[in-house]
Amino acid sequence: MNTRALSQVLLAGVATLLVAAVPGSVLAQTCFGQAVTTGCSVNGVIGDCIGTEGEDHIKGTDTADVIMGLGSRDRINGLAGDDVICGGDGNDKLKGSRGHDLIDAGAGDDYVNGGRGNDTVLAGAGEDRLGGTYGADVLAGEEDDDRLRGGGDADLLDGGPGEDRLNGGRDNDICVGGEELRRCEILTTTTSTTSTTTTTVTTSTTLPQPPPSPVDAGDAHTCAILSDETVVCWGSNSHGQSTPPAGAFEQVSAAEQHTCGLRPDDTIECWGDNFAGQTTVPAGSFWQASAADRYSCGLRADNTAVCWGWSDYGQTSPPAETFTQIDAGRHHACGIKIDSTVACWGWDEYDQSTPPAGSFTQVTAEYLHSCGIGPFGAVQCWGADTQGQVSPPSGTFAQVSAGYLHTCGVRTNGEVACWGWNAYG
C-alpha cells in the first residue's frame, strides 16, 4: 500500500472512531453527521454550538462538543473534551485545544491548531495552515497550497494537491506530497525484478524541523510546563517572577523579572515586575507569548503582533504585518512573516534588527544579535559579533536560542552546540 492510500485509510478510520464517540442525532446543521451540541459561548452568549452567517467567536465547554461555524470568518476554540469542529466557508481560525479532536476547516484560507491530543484535521479548499501541536495527529490538506506542521508526536501529514509545505515536528512522521518537506519520514519504495523473483525495498529519509520547548530560561529564573499543564518556576523570585498563577498553560516565556504564559483559552497571563506595564496584557486571543526585558509581545489570533511595556527603542511597535512566530529580545524583537521572511523592530545600532533576505523557519532575538534557521536547517545570525555570537558552526539545526553574548542550538541529531562568549563555561 502506498503512502497516499495509507493516509486515506488512517483518515477514514480515525474519523469514524471520533464520530462514533460523540453523541447526538443527525439534524439539518451537522458536523461530520453529528448534531451540534449546546452550552457553547457564541459571541459571549451561552447557547447552541453553532455560529451565525456573520463573523463569530465560539468557545466550547469542558466536555465533548460538536461545533459548527457556518459562514464568514469564525474563531472557534473547542477547549477541553473530544470535540468535533466544522469551520464553514470563511477564512476561519480553529483550535481544538485539549482532547482528541476532529476538525474540518471547510472552504476558505483557514488557520487550524489541533491542540493537545491525537487529532484529525482536514483542510478543505483554500490555502490553509494546519498544526497538530502535541499528540499523534493526522493532518490532511486539500486543493491549493497548504502548510502542515505535525508537532510533538508521530504524525501523518498528507498535503493533497498543490505546492504544499509539510513540517513533521519532533518525531519521525510520515509525509505524503508537498513541495517542501522538513522533519518527515519520506517512504520511498523501489521494486526490482529478475527472471525468478521480485524484490520490493522501502527506505526512508528524515528531514529536520525545530521542536517546541516546554522550558524557558530568563535572566535569573527558569520556568517549565509540567505534564498536568501547570507551570513551575525556580531561581530568583525578587519580583514574583517565579510564582506562577494556578491553572493550565500551553506556553511559557521567562524574561528578566517577569514571566508570561499562554492559557488554553488563548489568553495571555503575566506575573512578576510590572514597572513598565509589561505584565498588563491587552485583551484578546493569542497564539503565542514572548516576554523580554521590561516588555512583552504576543501573536494575536489574526497573526498580527502586539507588544506592551517599556519602549525606549520602539520595541513595542511591531510592523503591521502578519506573522507565524515572534521572539522578543532585550531591546528589539523579530518575527517570521507569513511569507517566511523575517522582520525585526526596536534597537538596531548593531544591525540586530536588520535581518538578511531569505526564508526562515524559526527566529530568536536577544541583546546585540539575532539568529534564524533557514529552510534546510542551517543557522544564520546577524548583529554584533563581539564574542563570536553571530558565527554559528556549520551543520543542520532543529532549534536555536540567542543569549546575551552567546548562542546555542540543538542539532538535528540531538547534540547541543554553543558559540560566542564563554567566560563562565
Side-chain angles (χ1 to χ4, degrees), residues 181-204:
L181 305 175
R182 305 194 70 246
R183 187 62 185 177
C184 292
E185 185 176 353
I186 313 303
L187 301 183
T188 303
T189 301
T190 57
T191 301
S192 59
T193 304
T194 66
S195 58
T196 57
T197 61
T198 299
T199 303
T200 300
V201 178
T202 299
T203 59
S204 66

Side-chain angles (χ1 to χ4, degrees), residues 220-221 233-244 271-272:
H221 77 293
C233 301
W234 58 96
S236 174
N237 197 31
S238 59
H239 293 78
Q241 65 267 41
S242 293
T243 306
W271 56 96

Side-chain angles (χ1 to χ4, degrees), residues 382-398:
W382 55 96
D385 200 25
T386 56
Q387 301 291 329
Q389 65 266 36
V390 301
S391 300
S394 61
T396 57
F397 287 80

